[in-house]
Amino acid sequence: MDNMLKPIGFFDSGIGGISVLKETIKILPHEDYIYFGDSKNAPYGTKTTNEVKKLTFEAVNFLLSKDIKAIVIACNTATSAAIDDLRKFYKNIPIIGIEPALKPAVELKKRGKIIIMATPMTLSEKKFNNLMNSYKNDNDIEPLPCAGLVELIEQGLLEGEELNFYLKNKLQPYLNSNISSVVLGCTHYPFIKKELSKILNKDIEIIDGSLGTAKQLKRQLLKENILNPKLSLGKVEILNSLNDDNIIELSYKLLNYQ
Ligand code: DGL
């Protein structure tokens, strides 16, 4: 098949990367997409780096078997564990990753703490620490590991008491201080933005990296000259390592979730 017409592969440890796919479809509506969620092995964020690396390579191999033209690692955890090795190994395909959107938070130039919510692994990896160190001197940055949150979202829990309790508990120590913004450094978290904004003051910005990643993908496709030239809307196919219709149903629901 002509490279331009091939689909773009998306990967996440589960259903979180759908938040990135959603933003991508807005700016690249004529592309076809194959999304693979590894919900069987989620969460990744509390595993070891080597485990996540191995699972990510397996998932990427699976997507490559579908004859894709580019791949988006729509998972902060898998990006921090594996993106450098993936790029070394697969030199002939654009690989786009995602990292916590600290830069846009800094650029707001608001006073107060920048809280970075992400998985324990993302926050402990070198990639994030290098990023944080480059902004640390002039900004008050607070990494907030959120073990257990991905599990709630994987169950389809996007609102309600249990989630509210979890978030209040996590953010309690900061609620009386001056917070400038909260960065959602895990692609699952944009789906709980509504519940989160019930806890935070209205003037606190909630930032995620989906749009930045989508734009980066577009730039890469343009550079490689492989944008899909068709004028009709593209197709989305969602696959999951869990052999369960419910997770596929939830995935399509999230793709249309407002
Ligand atoms: N969506 C993944 C991320 O962005 C969640 C990782 C996990 O499964 O813990 O980090």
Side-chain angles (χ1 to χ4, degrees):
M1 196 202 284
D2 191 336
N3 214 15
M4 288 177 170
L5 302 175
K6 289 180 183 174
I8 298 165
F10 265 70
F11 162 64
D12 178 47
S13 64
I15 55 179
I18 290 173
S19 62
V20 187
L21 176 58
K22 226 166 102 169
E23 289 304 316
T24 306
I25 293 171
K26 287 184 195 158
I27 65 164
L28 291 167
H30 307 296
E31 300 291 339
D32 295 324
Y33 300 94
I34 299 183
Y35 180 96
F36 175 62
D38 189 14
S39 295
K40 192 172 135 198
N41 293 303
Y44 278 16
T46 45
K47 291 185 165 49
T48 66
T49 308
N50 278 339
E51 280 170 326
V52 172
K53 222 180 250 183
K54 184 170 173 281
L55 290 168
T56 305
F57 266 84
E58 281 166 14
V60 166
N61 273 329
F62 171 69
L63 278 169
L64 288 172
S65 74
K66 305 273 171 199
D67 203 17
I68 52 175
K69 65 179 176 186
I71 183 155
V72 178
I73 308 295
C75 175
N76 292 263
T77 308
T79 299
S80 51
I83 197 116
D84 294 341
D85 288 353
L86 284 170
R87 286 185 179 137
K88 267 183 222 147
F89 201 80
Y90 300 108
K91 292 202 170 66
N92 298 325
I93 183 162
I95 304 177
I96 290 90
I98 187 163
E99 62 180 10
L102 184 51
K103 189 165 174 251
V106 166
E107 284 171 354
L108 288 175
K109 297 199 188 315
K110 276 177 71 185
R111 280 177 42 165
K113 270 192 196 321
I114 300 175
I115 296 180
I116 320 279
M117 293 174 69
T119 68
M121 209 189 110
T122 298
L123 297 176
S124 64
E125 277 295 310
K126 207 165 95 202
K127 207 169 180 52
F128 174 73
N129 282 287
N130 287 344
L131 178 73
M132 186 168 77
N133 286 340
S134 62
Y135 292 109
K136 205 168 67 182
N137 288 346
D138 304 314
N139 296 279
D140 182 5
I141 303 169
E142 189 73 43
L144 182 61
C146 295
L149 186 50
V150 162
E151 286 92 318
L152 298 180
I153 301 166
E154 281 285 311
Q155 287 166 37
L157 214 76
L158 309 181
E159 279 182 81
E161 217 172 296
E162 194 177 347
L163 192 61
N164 190 279
F165 181 77
Y166 179 98
L167 294 172
K168 262 198 189 134
N169 228 359
K170 274 280 158 199
L171 289 156
Q172 200 61 51
Y174 312 102
L175 291 179
N176 288 327
S177 52
N178 187 10
I179 305 173
S180 86
S181 56
V182 173
V183 174
L184 306 181
C186 166
T187 55
H188 280 71
Y189 303 168
F191 292 121
I192 53 138
K193 209 168 155 180
K194 255 187 227 161
E195 201 61 64
L196 191 59
S197 51
K198 286 185 198 161
I199 294 164
L200 300 172
N201 268 338
K202 296 280 164 289
D203 59 338
I204 301 173
E205 304 271 345
I206 303 175
I207 300 171
D208 77 75
S210 312
L211 186 61
T213 304
K215 285 183 177 163
Q216 178 60 15
L217 169 67
K218 189 172 179 180
R219 276 194 292 271
Q220 284 280 331
L221 297 181
L222 270 167
K223 193 175 130 214
E224 305 276 332
N225 211 7
I226 50 172
L227 271 178
N228 198 319
K230 74 175 178 192
L231 297 173
S232 56
L233 290 182
K235 300 189 293 286
V236 177
E237 185 185 0
I238 298 181
L239 308 167
N240 197 289
S241 56
L242 266 188
N243 192 11
D244 181 353
D245 290 344
N246 291 330
I247 198 87
I248 300 292
E249 205 178 296
L250 175 61
S251 303
Y252 283 105
K253 188 179 129 198
L254 291 179
L255 196 57
N256 299 305
Y257 187 72
Q258 294 303 323

